[in-house]
Amino acid sequence: MIENVSNQTAGPVEEFERERVPDRATRGLGSFLGMFAGEHVAGTELLIGPLFVIHGVTAFDLLVGLLVGNLLAVLTWTYVTAPIAVRHRFTLYFQLEKIGGRSLVKIYNLANGVLWCAVAAAMIYVSATAVAVPLQVKMPALDDWLPPGPGLAVTVFLTGLLFTYVAARGYEALSRFANVAAPWMVVMFAVFGLAALPELGIHSLADFWTAANQSIWPGHAAPGRVQFTFWHVMFFSWFGNMAWHWGMGDLSVFRYAKKSSYGFASAAGMLFGHYMAWICAGLLYAVQVSRNGADTAITPGALASGVAGWAGIALVFIAGWTTANPILYRAGLAFQSLHSKWPRFRVTVAAGVVASMLGMFPGLCSKFLEMAALYGLALCPMGAIIFVDHYFMRPFKLRDFYAERAGLTSWWPPLAAWVLALVGCVAMNIGFGTQIFFLGLPGWIMAGVFYFFMSKAAQNHVIQEVQP
Amino acid sequence: MKPLLITVSMLALAAALGSSIACANGGITAETNKLILLGATVAWFVVAPFWMLKPRP
């Protein structure tokens, strides 16, 4: 999911942040397979699986919708992101700077930092629910926006402070730990699914299909929740990581790939991290509801502990921590980039404290699907701008990397296209009632079209001014 | 030494998966499965770092 911070944790010793990655530094397919498999198994998977159930998906819609959506995500990484990454071998930030100038990167970093705080908050909450199990802290009901008591608020805040301190000290040690934990986490998610089966009365494949339709994904949305269909599931699983494929965030990763076909390595993350983990998390939730029909709360720690005991508690805590840590670290870096004299330690602590406070509100986590969609939507227009700059500028006799070529620190068409695309998405949402899960692609296309025509007008205008 | 460490780590993961399959088939109880999962988890984190982590440059 959006836990993907692969450009940080997979980073080699030499970062090549402001230069093309040399051929000697490129990596083989195995590095990408391992990285995607590990980094798409995160604590938030334990929120997403149950949330699909609450939104009333049917078994067919979930199993097929997830398969199609995740395959589309893999194809997007392979045919949209990776070719541009391998062609230029620049980070997203350096490429944006060439297109729109340094000020564009700063604004992008600000948006990224804010969104990362919100995502980190969800991960802190997930880990805190694991701490809460042995402490027997009172947990919130499904639709509670506020913590049910000081116990949960304190647990979340202290968990967040711990994560923040480690992130502020630098994420390297925990990143190494995350690499060790990754294979175990993948297996543990499978274990969750297997261990849940007997409690659901499933002893054969035929049993599974019956239980899937009747008790796991019965297809009834909880009151106040949008009724999900096949299309919701498909688009969510396709766009869940939109900021990284359509949004080009993973340019920073695939610039190390020897070939663009390494984009297919993302299948490892989509199949194990998303397809399997979301299904298994749904099974866990079904077990909880089957034990007590009134217990509809999504508390990953309690869910995992119910079927896997202490090992489950450990998984929830570690899965949340290993993904929250690099996100907090990057949020700190993003905010620090706004003012180079701000010390990274203090900025990271400030970001972490904000994330910890946000995590205290369980309502935020029960709306995680919407939050994930918003994250992708907000950042994906930048990917469209990079895409258009790469494929359409030269054939139409326009200049790519215009800010760099013109020596500008700020070039308005990319920023204007980004803002206008988001305004267009808000208009679609308010005017036509288009749900946020479906706005990603229209937003991406609008940003690309706006950027192309505004670049055409602006570049011609500048050229006419220079050559009257 | 490294092949032995890898083997032990893989056995730990296999034990976790195997016991859960056994639990799903009714071969062992859920409580026994939880104990095996905990053992496999401890074994993984004790052994795997020795072969997975490269010395820092």
Side-chain angles (χ1 to χ4, degrees):
Chain A
M1 192 50 252
I2 50 187
E3 68 283 3
N4 184 331
V5 281
S6 31
N7 54 329
Q8 297 94 52
T9 52
V13 177
E14 288 182 89
E15 292 284 354
F16 307 108
E17 288 182 351
R18 301 188 64 79
E19 60 184 305
R20 182 184 166 86
V21 172
D23 287 345
R24 64 176 163 78
T26 55
R27 293 174 163 202
L29 180 63
S31 303
F32 295 90
L33 283 169
M35 185 194 72
F36 272 97
E39 292 185 351
H40 286 268
V41 180
T44 44
E45 321 309 351
L46 289 157
L47 290 176
I48 294 170
L51 282 170
F52 278 135
V53 179
I54 285 163
H55 278 279
V57 292
T58 63
F60 177 85
D61 289 348
L62 184 94
L63 297 175
V64 180
L66 280 187
L67 187 63
V68 175
N70 283 315
L71 285 176
L72 287 169
V74 171
L75 293 176
T76 310
W77 259 301
T78 307
Y79 293 110
V80 177
T81 315
I84 297 177
V86 170
R87 170 71 181 79
H88 295 294
R89 299 198 184 281
F90 294 145
T91 65
L92 165 74
Y93 306 98
F94 194 41
Q95 198 145 333
L96 277 182
E97 187 179 328
K98 285 169 174 286
I99 293 170
R102 187 129 192 86
S103 57
L104 179 70
V105 178
K106 283 193 172 185
I107 295 168
Y108 180 83
N109 271 337
L110 179 64
N112 228 344
V114 170
L115 291 164
W116 266 329
C117 281
V119 174
M123 291 170 176
I124 290 168
Y125 174 78
V126 167
S127 288
T129 63
V131 178
V133 173
L135 297 179
Q136 297 187 325
V137 172
K138 189 180 179 192
M139 297 307 290
L142 177 61
D143 292 318
D144 284 354
W145 269 96
L146 298 173
L152 179 66
V154 171
T155 305
V156 172
F157 193 70
L158 291 180
T159 304
L161 285 188
L162 171 69
F163 291 5
T164 300
Y165 178 75
V166 175
R169 298 278 299 174
Y171 67 82
E172 190 184 336
L174 196 71
S175 161
R176 287 158 65 84
F177 176 73
N179 290 339
V180 172
W184 168 79
M185 288 199 290
V186 172
V187 169
M188 282 300 292
F189 266 98
V191 160
F192 280 172
L194 289 167
L197 296 179
E199 286 212 46
L200 296 168
I202 301 171
H203 302 288
S204 69
L205 203 58
D207 289 345
F208 176 80
W209 192 242
T210 306
N213 282 296
Q214 290 177 358
S215 54
I216 304 171
W217 299 286
H220 310 301
R225 301 279 173 166
V226 174
Q227 174 70 47
F228 269 22
T229 63
F230 169 87
W231 300 107
H232 287 85
V233 178
M234 191 201 89
F235 275 102
F236 181 83
S237 50
W238 185 11
F239 292 166
N241 283 113
M242 190 169 195
W244 303 99
H245 44 67
W246 283 112
M248 302 287 173
D250 274 344
L251 287 184
S252 307
V253 171
F254 284 114
R255 68 197 167 119
Y256 289 101
K258 291 184 191 300
K259 294 184 283 189
S260 65
S261 58
Y262 287 7
F264 281 115
S266 57
M270 295 302 99
L271 294 179
F272 291 117
H274 289 184
Y275 194 69
M276 184 191 77
W278 292 350
I279 290 171
C280 292
L283 294 175
L284 284 186
Y285 186 71
V287 167
Q288 175 182 293
V289 174
S290 72
R291 285 176 180 170
N292 176 6
D295 186 6
T296 55
I298 301 178
T299 49
L303 288 175
S305 155
V307 297
W310 282 98
I313 292 174
L315 172 79
V316 174
F317 187 78
I318 290 170
W321 192 357
T322 53
T323 42
N325 192 66
I327 288 178
L328 287 171
Y329 178 81
R330 275 283 151 168
L333 282 184
F335 289 130
Q336 190 207 16
S337 73
L338 303 177
H339 199 295
S340 58
K341 288 187 179 172
W342 290 348
R344 188 190 58 77
F345 184 89
R346 288 185 188 180
V347 174
T348 308
V349 168
V353 168
V354 170
S356 304
M357 292 174 77
L358 286 175
M360 289 159 62
F361 296 94
L364 186 75
C365 298
S366 73
K367 294 284 182 186
F368 188 75
L369 296 183
E370 288 84 349
M371 197 167 81
L374 177 66
Y375 175 88
L377 176 64
L379 299 182
C380 77
M382 283 304 176
I385 288 160
I386 289 172
F387 185 86
V388 168
D389 202 74
H390 180 78
Y391 287 110
F392 292 95
M393 289 287 131
R394 288 189 180 182
F396 287 90
K397 304 202 183 317
L398 295 169
R399 291 176 187 172
D400 58 356
F401 294 157
Y402 189 84
E404 181 189 52
R405 293 182 198 283
L408 301 171
T409 56
S410 174
W411 177 234
W412 66 267
L415 181 59
W418 184 19
V419 172
L420 279 178
L422 293 182
V423 169
C425 288
V426 172
M428 283 180 70
N429 181 257
I430 295 172
F432 301 103
T434 310
Q435 292 167 16
I436 193 168
F437 306 104
F438 303 116
L439 288 173
L441 200 55
W444 194 90
I445 293 170
M446 278 192 277
V449 171
F450 288 146
Y451 174 63
F452 177 79
F453 285 107
M454 285 192 281
S455 291
K456 195 169 171 60
Q459 288 192 20
N460 287 341
H461 179 69
V462 171
I463 290 165
Q464 280 168 10
E465 275 188 354
V466 174
Q467 299 169 333
Chain B
M1 189 64 181
K2 192 174 174 182
L4 178 65
L5 294 173
I6 293 174
T7 305
V8 172
S9 305
M10 293 303 137
L11 281 175
L13 295 186
L17 269 177
S19 76
S20 297
I21 292 169
C23 178
N25 287 323
I28 60 171
T29 65
E31 292 308 312
T32 307
N33 186 36
K34 287 177 186 175
L35 279 177
I36 293 172
L37 291 178
L38 180 60
T41 298
V42 172
W44 173 264
F45 282 104
V46 168
V47 177
F50 288 103
W51 63 270
M52 287 189 77
L53 293 181
K54 292 175 185 168
R56 293 166 71 170

